[in-house]
Amino acid sequence: MPADATDRLIAATRRRHEQTLARARIALRQLETTGEPVTYAKVAAAAKVSRAWLYSQPDVRAAVERLRDINNRSTGVAVPTRQRTTEASLIRRLEAAQRRNQELTRQVSELREQLAAAHGALRDSRARRPVDGCWTEDSC
């Protein structure tokens, strides 16, 4: 085969490989966006490639495995990856909950003090109440 034909054949093979990789990446993004469970069979069908080819591509295989790991940790509800809770947002929510808990603890403490004061005032008012409607023995 002439060198010129070989070069064109190599270039065509590279183009076809890049196009196939692009289809696989698009399929991965679509599955990730929908939140569907990612399997090699689904990616292969969406990209119109064989599962064996997917296994032979390290970057595609790593992406499939990463998405599978994410989906296996889920609660079974299909949630797109972009909408899933990140560790940073969970930490922020936990910190906000702790601040709210501290505020509520402070409020409960204040309310207990107010209640104790009200009970004391009620007890004092009952102690000063006249017996049988008389404030003193002389007034009855």
Side-chain angles (χ1 to χ4, degrees):
M1 189 183 295
D4 191 30
T6 304
D7 291 341
R8 285 195 307 263
L9 186 59
I10 290 171
T13 302
R14 284 190 182 133
R15 271 194 314 274
R16 191 178 76 198
H17 179 73
E18 290 302 318
Q19 291 169 346
T20 307
L21 271 176
R23 287 196 319 266
R25 290 179 181 134
I26 289 169
L28 283 167
R29 273 190 300 251
Q30 288 172 342
L31 289 170
E32 180 180 19
T33 301
T34 61
E36 268 185 70
V38 177
T39 64
Y40 283 98
K42 285 184 181 182
V43 175
K48 295 180 175 66
V49 297
S50 70
R51 288 185 310 190
W53 184 85
L54 289 175
Y55 284 113
S56 71
Q57 304 304 308
D59 58 335
V60 174
R61 187 174 183 171
V64 170
E65 294 297 328
R66 180 182 60 82
L67 292 173
R68 287 175 75 179
D69 286 345
I70 289 170
N71 283 341
N72 286 341
R73 284 184 270 148
S74 73
T75 59
V77 178
V79 177
T81 303
R82 289 184 180 153
Q83 294 178 4
R84 292 191 177 133
T85 306
T86 64
E87 185 176 337
S89 68
L90 286 173
I91 290 171
R92 283 191 300 273
R93 288 175 61 191
L94 179 60
E95 289 169 348
Q98 286 175 329
R99 283 191 302 274
R100 177 74 175 139
N101 191 0
Q102 289 171 347
E103 174 63 22
L104 291 173
T105 301
R106 187 189 59 74
Q107 287 178 2
V108 166
S109 178
E110 287 178 10
L111 290 171
R112 284 185 175 153
E113 289 174 13
Q114 290 174 5
L115 182 61
H119 279 297
L122 182 61
R123 188 183 62 233
D124 289 345
S125 71
R126 287 182 180 159
R128 285 182 291 194
R129 185 181 326 159
V131 179
D132 296 330
C134 299
W135 287 97
T136 63
E137 290 181 21
D138 296 338
S139 64
C140 290

